[in-house]
Amino acid sequence: MAEERNPNRDGETGKYQAGYTPEDALDALDALGGAATTSEVGEQMGCARRTAYNKLDTLESDGRVSSRDGGGARLWLLAE
């Protein structure tokens, strides 16, 4: 059986690399028209909802996006 490679692990050093950045989440939110749920951003990024949430939460702490609860889902908005 062939050894499966982890795309987030450097093949030479074996160290893990960041798979997604807050900038990826910002780009995804922008591509979705500047307003989207966590799940929509995760789908756009091609990652898990939790990963998207963590990146969006970082962006909110930096003042680059804002969020609000609505209808059982968090809506993320690009900061003006």
Side-chain angles (χ1 to χ4, degrees):
M1 177 185 280
E3 183 178 323
E4 192 171 318
R5 301 187 120 222
N6 184 320
N8 292 337
R9 185 174 272 208
D10 183 286
E12 292 181 24
T13 66
K15 292 183 179 180
Y16 282 98
Q17 303 169 338
Y20 298 95
T21 66
E23 291 300 318
D24 294 329
L26 196 62
D27 291 344
L29 186 57
D30 186 46
L32 292 165
T37 65
T38 308
S39 294
E40 290 169 331
V41 172
E43 187 175 315
Q44 179 74 23
M45 290 172 64
C47 68
R49 182 194 154 294
R50 185 66 190 176
T51 299
Y53 177 86
N54 290 340
K55 303 309 174 192
L56 290 162
D57 189 52
T58 297
L59 290 168
E60 187 171 38
S61 294
D62 293 344
R64 299 172 73 188
V65 301
S66 61
S67 69
R68 64 176 182 225
D69 289 323
R74 182 165 296 271
L75 181 66
W76 300 91
L77 306 159
L78 288 175
E80 295 181 22

